[in-house]
Amino acid sequence: MDWKIFLTIFVSVFIAELGDKTQLATMLFAADKAVSKTTVFLAASAALVVASAIGVIAGSLLSEYINEKYLHYIAGMGFIAIGAYTLYNA
């Protein structure tokens, strides 16, 4: 395993996930006294693992047909579009 790549991905995803809607939703579920905190943790963790698996599979499939450089451009344009949409609706 390439630890440099592992740590780069870990830190990038960790920072991206801090304070996002997923974390806030998980926090709200955990705040319910009637709900097991272990259940919340396991369910949220499983959801993130499945979402990450979908991302890895989609990235692998797309990279077979689209040059990596263009995938970076497409991802960048997607983030810009989401940001512009968010600002427009703010």
Side-chain angles (χ1 to χ4, degrees), residues 29-75:
F29 283 120
D32 186 347
K33 293 188 188 308
V35 176
S36 164
K37 306 318 176 227
T38 302
T39 301
V40 173
F41 174 76
L42 292 175
S45 297
L48 289 172
V49 167
V50 171
S52 296
I54 291 169
V56 169
I57 292 167
S60 296
L61 291 173
L62 287 173
S63 70
E64 292 180 18
Y65 302 102
I66 302 173
N67 184 313
E68 183 181 349
K69 180 179 177 180
Y70 297 123
L71 284 175
H72 285 283
Y73 288 142
I74 292 167

